[in-house]
Amino acid sequence: MLGLLSTIAARGVRVRENTVYTRESTGKLLRESIGLDTLSPTCLPYSLVVAQGVVADTLEDNLRGRSHAVDYNFELLDYVWESGNFSLWPVQAFLKNHSTGTMESWHAYYILGCDGEASTVRQGAFIGLEDHGVENVWAIADLSADTTFPDIKRRSVVKSVHGTCILGPSTEDMVRVITPLTPDFLGSIDSHEYSMCSTDLKDYRLLPPTTLLGSLQSRFRAVLSPWVFNIEGVSWMARYYNTKRLAIHFSDSAQRVFLIGDACHTHSPLTNQNMNTGMMDAHNLSWKLALVLRGLASPSLLATYEIERRPLAQQLISFDAKVDEIICLPPNSPAVYEGFHDFEDGTILPAAAVSNTLQEPLKPGKRLLPVTLTRHIDGNEVNMLDEMQSDGCFHLLVFAGETLASRVFASLSMYLASPDSPLTVFSSPQLVDLYLIHTCNHFAGSLPDLPEPFPRWSHRVYEDSGGKAHASIGVNPKFGALVLVRPDGHVAVVTYPDDGRGIMEFLRKFLLSSSAVDLDRNIPSGHGEGMIT
């Protein structure tokens, strides 16, 4: 991984639990439910609330440390492209340099459209949008508040005849509030008073009811009564117009122009998935582009981006509509509030760059679950996911269980050490690395005594004490399993230990062997060349 979690987490807020409140016929506000905010097994058993700007700044700092940078002075005006030989520059982009005021022409292999809902890149590729539902208007704000509401440190949905409010902790000891704005509500506000009140306002309790913030203050008080809720300050506030839209395609027919994030799917802020989904789009595409640009994979691999990500965007939009419906239902209406946990973005992919064989929880398309192991070489306890670096490699995990002394393991070892093994065929550069997880006592064995090729990967041999990891992912330690994990952390293939050739058959669908790769092919990088994002 990039090792940025601690930096980002230090500036965020952990949310572990959520609550739902409704008002009874007697007028009393009743806490209807309380539960965990994160139900899926993950390394971090909580939701992390952090400003998008913090994430962006952290990623850009990391990029600068690698001698790269994002230049915001350029505006894409238009582009043209032509089909032809892959070694040519098929895309010509026309940009305005706002720092100099000049027009520039750049040539590139690809254009990645990360340019939001009004995407110039999408329009240039003539890719249309599908509308999914009517436009909703929401108010979102980070506030400081004097309140007696008991669950202000939890994510809470509060419903009453006065409206619905979603509250939760935000950064810098603020409260994030979200509430739908109905036409009647908006009609009560002066048209020139939609903007946020000045942060110099001395007493937020005196907000005029004709201002947006003043109207929201009145709503919060009414919805949360008898608890006190007085706004004392505003960090930021916005009206969010949400129309759920989905691009008809996520790339052009030539696989030269790709759309990412809001450029190809838009949804409400309620599910807290907007930035997450866009980053997962980028991760899915980036490792594939990296392999193709280096001549290590067939360009046909890029077609799996839309195959995998568009159904997930559709799933998110459907989930988003379900949440809208739950939030907008009158109080005490039957609703499945567990619906907030239904969508686990990025944990499942349709069958594209995966091979579907086994069932839950170790299922191709899903992420590998976090498991704790003892590293053989030094005895330290480690998390398996932390051990798998995000370096563009496929990870071949041998879950050997109790089989280290078996003929099956000996046969697998011979195959993995052979010239026909993916470890050998894709070794220059190394595109597949190796991990061995067993249930034997690591004190009783010596790493050099393992058959080849495992001694060469001695830093990636682990004991699964008591077989807990094998059990948690559904592998019988008496038989074991082979698991191939993609560079983006998704399981690609699950098969039996005697089917190493099945792993190779899968990889040959898109990876190119060292003998077929021209590692000296000229892919310039620098101003005006390469990829435009």
Side-chain angles (χ1 to χ4, degrees):
M1 305 302 173
L2 294 176
L4 304 179
L5 174 61
S6 58
T7 302
I8 294 174
R11 299 181 64 183
V13 176
R14 299 179 182 185
V15 178
R16 290 184 176 271
E17 297 176 345
N18 59 58
T19 65
V20 175
Y21 282 80
T22 56
R23 196 171 293 278
E24 294 181 308
S25 57
T26 60
K28 181 180 179 181
L29 201 58
L30 175 69
R31 187 164 72 182
E32 183 177 298
S33 68
I34 181 171
L36 295 175
D37 196 66
T38 301
L39 296 182
S40 303
T42 66
C43 291
L44 307 175
Y46 53 82
S47 298
L48 183 67
V49 178
V50 62
Q52 183 168 324
V54 169
V55 177
D57 290 346
T58 304
L59 291 173
E60 287 192 45
D61 287 345
N62 182 268
L63 198 61
R64 282 189 286 271
R66 300 169 187 266
S67 301
H68 297 284
V70 178
D71 195 331
Y72 293 101
N73 291 316
F74 288 89
E75 177 188 359
L76 177 66
L77 302 178
D78 197 5
Y79 62 91
V80 294
W81 73 100
E82 59 184 40
S83 60
N85 189 288
F86 184 75
S87 63
L88 302 177
W89 302 101
V91 181
Q92 183 179 13
F94 306 99
L95 302 97
K96 181 175 181 180
N97 186 333
H98 285 281
S99 62
T100 63
T102 60
M103 306 294 291
E104 299 185 14
S105 173
W106 288 24
H107 290 81
Y109 279 121
Y110 300 102
I111 292 183
L112 310 187
C114 318
D115 50 345
E117 185 175 1
S119 173
T120 300
V121 174
R122 186 188 65 243
Q123 295 175 41
F126 302 102
I127 296 175
L129 291 171
E130 299 172 347
D131 284 344
H132 291 258
V134 299
E135 182 178 75
N136 294 317
V137 186
W138 303 82
I140 309 175
D142 278 354
L143 313 169
S144 58
D146 174 22
T147 180
T148 58
F149 180 62
D151 285 321
I152 200 65
K153 294 300 183 181
R154 295 184 173 99
R155 198 191 315 273
S156 300
V157 177
V158 185
K159 304 186 70 169
S160 80
V161 294
H162 303 289
T164 298
C165 295
I166 302 172
L167 305 93
S170 187
T171 55
E172 299 180 356
D173 207 29
M174 291 280 179
V175 180
R176 168 69 54 86
V177 295
I178 305 175
T179 187
L181 302 181
T182 63
D184 289 344
F185 184 93
L186 291 171
S188 67
I189 303 169
D190 289 347
S191 59
H192 64 283
E193 295 285 6
Y194 278 123
S195 61
M196 183 182 73
C197 291
S198 169
T199 53
D200 296 329
L201 189 63
K202 301 302 181 184
D203 192 346
Y204 282 83
R205 292 172 295 181
L206 302 179
L207 289 166
T210 53
T211 64
L212 176 59
L213 191 56
S215 296
L216 292 176
Q217 170 72 95
S218 299
R219 170 176 284 188
F220 298 148
R221 288 172 175 169
V223 170
L224 295 175
S225 175
W227 289 304
V228 173
F229 192 93
N230 292 321
I231 297 174
E232 293 188 329
V234 179
S235 174
W236 71 274
M237 181 177 174
R239 284 177 302 151
Y240 193 101
Y241 292 88
N242 169 52
T243 300
K244 300 171 183 62
R245 292 191 175 100
L246 181 66
I248 296 172
H249 295 291
F250 280 20
S251 67
D252 71 314
S253 58
Q255 302 290 316
R256 294 292 180 180
V257 178
F258 295 89
L259 306 177
I260 294 172
D262 286 352
C264 50
H265 49 80
T266 58
H267 21 79
S268 82
L270 294 179
T271 53
N272 298 305
Q273 292 293 336
N274 300 41
M275 178 178 67
N276 292 359
T277 311
M279 292 175 70
M280 290 176 185
D281 289 344
H283 196 189
N284 182 290
L285 180 60
S286 61
W287 69 266
K288 298 170 184 177
L289 268 175
L291 290 174
V292 171
L293 282 168
R294 294 166 65 196
L296 302 173
S298 166
S300 62
L301 176 61
L302 301 177
T304 65
Y305 170 66
E306 178 175 325
I307 294 171
E308 292 175 352
R309 293 306 298 176
R310 192 175 187 277
L312 272 173
Q314 175 68 73
Q315 183 184 352
L316 175 55
I317 287 172
S318 298
F319 172 73
D320 196 14
K322 181 179 179 180
V323 173
D324 278 356
E325 180 182 356
I326 292 173
I327 294 300
C328 295
L329 283 172
N332 303 314
S333 298
V336 183
Y337 287 105
E338 287 74 11
F340 287 104
H341 303 295
D342 283 354
F343 187 78
E344 300 169 358
D345 181 38
T347 61
I348 183 67
L349 297 172
V354 299
S355 176
N356 200 1
T357 53
L358 295 188
Q359 300 302 311
E360 304 283 1
L362 191 62
K363 185 175 181 179
K366 287 220 164 184
R367 288 204 186 112
L368 189 68
L369 298 181
V371 293
T372 300
L373 304 169
T374 300
R375 192 162 50 209
H376 210 299
I377 199 167
D378 58 12
N380 282 312
E381 283 197 350
V382 294
N383 186 299
M384 187 70 236
L385 299 187
D386 292 337
E387 292 290 281
M388 293 190 298
Q389 297 182 6
S390 183
D391 56 4
C393 283
F394 284 81
H395 310 295
L396 179 57
L397 280 59
V398 178
F399 285 90
E402 306 168 2
T403 70
L404 290 185
S406 70
R407 285 182 293 179
V408 171
F409 183 74
S411 176
L412 171 64
S413 302
M414 290 180 61
Y415 171 70
L416 292 178
S418 74
D420 298 328
S421 160
L423 299 175
T424 307
V425 173
F426 305 115
S427 62
S428 183
Q430 193 74 50
L431 297 183
V432 183
D433 53 23
L434 182 64
Y435 297 78
L436 172 62
I437 302 99
H438 62 81
T439 58
C440 303
N441 187 340
H442 74 281
F443 290 131
S446 174
L447 289 172
D449 293 337
L450 289 170
E452 287 292 341
F454 295 104
R456 288 186 284 125
W457 300 86
S458 59
H459 57 298
R460 291 178 178 169
V461 179
Y462 309 86
E463 177 192 346
D464 174 18
S465 180
K468 295 178 182 178
H470 283 67
S472 69
I473 63 175
V475 174
N476 189 329
K478 294 185 181 298
F479 303 106
L482 292 182
V483 179
L484 184 69
V485 179
R486 305 186 336 173
D488 58 3
H490 292 278
V491 175
V493 181
V494 181
T495 189
Y496 295 101
D498 59 357
D499 188 31
R501 288 172 178 78
I503 300 288
M504 189 65 185
E505 181 181 346
F506 170 81
L507 290 171
R508 280 199 182 279
K509 292 178 180 178
F510 45 87
L511 289 188
L512 303 177
S513 62
S514 300
S515 60
V517 174
D518 178 11
L519 294 177
D520 294 324
R521 59 193 298 263
N522 182 26
I523 302 180
S525 60
H527 186 73
E529 300 174 325
M531 232 170 11
I532 297 175
T533 58

